[in-house]
Amino acid sequence: MKKVLVITYYWPPSGGSGVQRWLKCVRYLREFGWEPVVYTALDSEYPVIDMSLEAQVPAGVEVIRRPIWEPYKLYKRFTGQKKETRVVSGFLNEKKPSFKRRVSMWIRGNVFIPDARKFWIKPSISFLVDYLKEHPVDAIVSTGPPHSMHLIAMGVKRKTGLPWVADFRDPWTNIDFYQELMLSEWADRKHHRLEKEVVTMADRVVVVGNQMKEEFEEISGRKVDVVTNGYDEADLQPQPKEARDKKFSLIHIGLLNQHRNHEAFWAACAELKQEIPSFGNDLRVKLVGKADVSAQESINRHGMEAQVEMIDYLPQAEAVQQQGRAQVLLLSINNTPNAKGVITGKIFEYLASGRPILCIGPEDGDAAHIINEANAGLVAGFEDKEKIKAHIAHYYDLYRRDALEVQSQGVAAFSRKALTGKFAQLFDAITS
């Protein structure tokens, strides 16, 4: 088999969405003639830990873990957090942001460029160049964010000439929280310069959706490939109808940051409570994962406390079970300038669960296109309270008639194995 060096920050025991894409690719690459070698960090400051994911790493796969220094201990000391506290990603605030946190945000954007793992770039390049002399590979793939992984790969390519695929799970300078970094003009220029270096020097650039594809093609002036995220058939846990939630459950899985907390949704639920006598007693909104302080404020403002259940992070297997038991799955898109291109990783597991989806986001966005093509659910705009309300009422009516089902189509195209095959084709192309 040919070998590919996978440079990734997120790797088991990391939990959350960032680890899934390349954990699954590594799981299936051998079936397409490629042996993965994983390069990752040792003792990283992951936002969440999920030890169960260790079991998904195929036997015999070489995983190289190297020490990394991250500034999070200093950050926690400066902001008064306990040292065992895990730093939440995605610009989610479980409390009102303090002055010290805002100062930290400025430092994050203007000093730690491209991100807080920048101190791992030079040591990693030095180590990998020496390692590859004795343990050659045929290609490199880096996945970001954090985009420091791309700078490591770029440094290795410069010194070895190895063909390189840069895989972007999220945008760089067009990511939803970019404006919150409070960047100086100099820092903004540096982010854009590094981004352009990566997308022009890599042999192939891969993104997860069509909007990102257009953005990166404009930056690089070259063709960019799309390999979406997906679901792993091996993780599916089909739930019989009798195992579904007895209540009318709307379940959101994953981080609910301020940009995914949509006031119109809570207003629509509150109005339906007033208009339909049984609705308030039947409704259960389950928020599985960390939720921003703004979500709790919205819940309180609309008198929804009795209908909402907040559940902290669940291991992947348990989260998949929750999806299968849901009456409706809530897909909340980030209300940010790049909203049309946001395709959250959970959408594909939602599709595979076979349960109806309620998507709140741009009706002409990439996520809406996927849901509509698959006939998997309903979509309403961020501020369109009346449409959100109508969709919920429609689902509730079907629930009361014991007819809340969905007949999705074309979902198999998003299986992790099929998507790994697309990466293998790219590796074949750049090494032929």
Side-chain angles (χ1 to χ4, degrees):
M1 286 192 187
K2 291 182 178 180
K3 285 188 175 183
V4 58
L5 176 66
V6 180
I7 300 175
T8 178
Y9 175 78
Y10 293 108
W11 191 253
S14 170
S17 59
V19 71
Q20 294 293 327
R21 185 169 172 89
W22 278 96
L23 174 60
K24 301 303 184 181
C25 283
V26 166
R27 192 175 193 175
Y28 294 115
L29 268 174
R30 287 170 171 169
E31 297 185 33
F32 298 94
W34 284 86
E35 175 67 23
V37 178
V38 178
Y39 179 76
T40 192
L42 178 68
D43 296 329
S44 307
E45 282 276 355
Y46 296 132
V48 292
I49 297 294
D50 187 345
M51 299 303 296
S52 69
L53 296 181
E54 294 274 14
Q56 296 189 26
V57 181
V61 166
E62 183 177 6
V63 178
I64 306 165
R65 299 181 186 272
R66 295 289 295 172
I68 185 172
W69 184 84
E70 300 169 281
Y72 292 116
K73 288 182 180 178
L74 297 176
Y75 167 75
K76 285 186 278 191
R77 188 181 305 162
F78 177 66
T79 56
Q81 298 183 44
K82 296 179 180 178
K83 62 181 181 180
E84 62 270 18
T85 302
R86 295 206 166 269
V87 178
V88 180
S89 61
F91 280 68
L92 179 147
N93 298 300
E94 295 182 276
K95 299 178 181 178
K96 283 289 187 183
S98 64
F99 171 74
K100 287 185 176 181
R101 191 180 188 285
R102 289 194 293 272
V103 170
S104 300
M105 194 79 69
W106 186 92
I107 295 172
R108 151 72 177 88
N110 292 276
V111 178
F112 302 137
I113 300 175
D115 48 65
R117 289 85 184 184
K118 63 171 289 186
F119 303 99
W120 201 48
I121 297 171
K122 287 184 178 179
S124 293
I125 294 171
S126 178
F127 170 82
L128 287 171
V129 169
D130 289 341
Y131 170 86
L132 292 170
K133 291 175 184 176
E134 302 294 328
H135 309 85
V137 299
D138 299 279
I140 307 169
V141 59
S142 56
T143 182
H147 301 301
S148 287
M149 303 306 105
H150 298 313
L151 300 189
I152 293 170
M154 185 164 64
V156 173
K157 178 178 175 59
R158 281 183 172 138
K159 291 180 179 292
T160 66
L162 284 166
W164 162 40
V165 174
D167 173 47
F168 287 85
R169 304 187 316 278
D170 283 311
W172 187 329
T173 58
N174 197 37
I175 199 163
D176 48 24
F177 57 75
Y178 189 72
Q179 300 306 319
E180 296 179 42
L181 294 174
M182 297 178 282
L183 298 174
S184 65
E185 186 177 336
W186 172 86
D188 179 57
R189 284 199 308 269
K190 185 169 183 179
H191 276 286
H192 280 86
R193 176 176 61 78
L194 292 173
E195 177 184 45
K196 187 165 186 175
E197 279 187 53
V198 167
V199 298
T200 53
M201 188 170 179
D203 294 88
R204 299 294 277 265
V205 175
V206 177
V207 297
V208 298
N210 290 321
Q211 186 77 16
M212 282 179 66
K213 170 184 168 71
E214 293 176 8
E215 292 164 2
F216 277 98
E217 285 181 342
E218 185 175 345
I219 293 169
S220 63
R222 58 183 290 186
K223 177 180 179 291
V224 170
D225 295 284
V226 175
V227 179
T228 67
N229 282 310
Y231 70 93
D232 191 349
E233 292 171 321
D235 294 340
L236 295 184
Q237 299 179 30
Q239 302 290 323
K241 188 173 181 178
E242 55 269 22
R244 290 182 197 156
D245 294 336
K246 304 307 177 190
K247 294 288 187 179
F248 179 57
S249 56
L250 275 67
I251 298 182
H252 180 276
I253 307 282
L255 291 177
L256 186 68
N257 63 25
Q258 60 178 323
H259 300 303
R260 294 177 186 165
N261 176 52
H262 307 308
E263 199 73 17
F265 167 76
W266 299 111
C269 289
E271 288 185 14
L272 286 170
K273 275 176 58 179
Q274 298 299 318
E275 296 170 11
I276 305 175
S278 60
F279 185 78
N281 184 58
D282 288 338
L283 177 66
R284 288 294 179 273
V285 180
K286 294 184 183 180
L287 306 180
V288 180
K290 298 288 186 183
D292 191 84
V293 64
S294 62
Q296 187 63 63
E297 291 173 348
S298 295
I299 292 164
N300 296 342
R301 187 158 44 247
H302 293 282
M304 293 292 297
E305 298 92 336
Q307 285 73 39
V308 177
E309 180 181 358
M310 289 187 164
I311 304 170
D312 209 338
Y313 177 83
L314 290 178
Q316 186 196 20
E318 294 180 40
V320 170
Q321 284 184 349
Q322 287 278 356
Q323 288 168 189
R325 292 198 295 262
Q327 294 294 344
V328 177
L329 291 165
L330 178 60
L331 182 68
S332 191
I333 302 299
N334 301 36
N335 189 0
T336 50
N338 69 335
K340 286 186 180 181
V342 173
I343 307 177
T344 62
K346 71 175 75 67
I347 187 174
F348 303 102
E349 289 188 349
Y350 277 18
L351 290 174
S353 75
R355 301 307 298 142
I357 298 170
L358 171 60
C359 175
I360 301 177
E363 294 185 67
D364 58 348
D366 286 350
H369 177 75
I370 290 170
I371 291 168
N372 292 331
E373 283 288 300
N375 191 35
L378 301 171
V379 184
F382 295 122
E383 309 297 336
D384 197 340
K385 183 189 69 174
E386 293 307 315
K387 182 171 276 192
I388 295 171
K389 187 175 167 183
H391 287 342
I392 296 173
H394 172 68
Y395 280 148
Y396 182 58
D397 178 60
L398 292 174
Y399 158 80
R400 293 179 73 182
R401 292 191 281 117
D402 196 27
L404 185 48
E405 304 292 342
V406 66
Q407 300 298 324
S408 302
Q409 57 195 25
V411 176
F414 301 113
S415 77
R416 291 286 189 181
K417 187 181 293 187
L419 297 168
T420 301
K422 292 187 176 183
F423 273 109
Q425 289 174 1
L426 290 174
F427 300 153
D428 290 336
I430 63 175
T431 57
S432 61

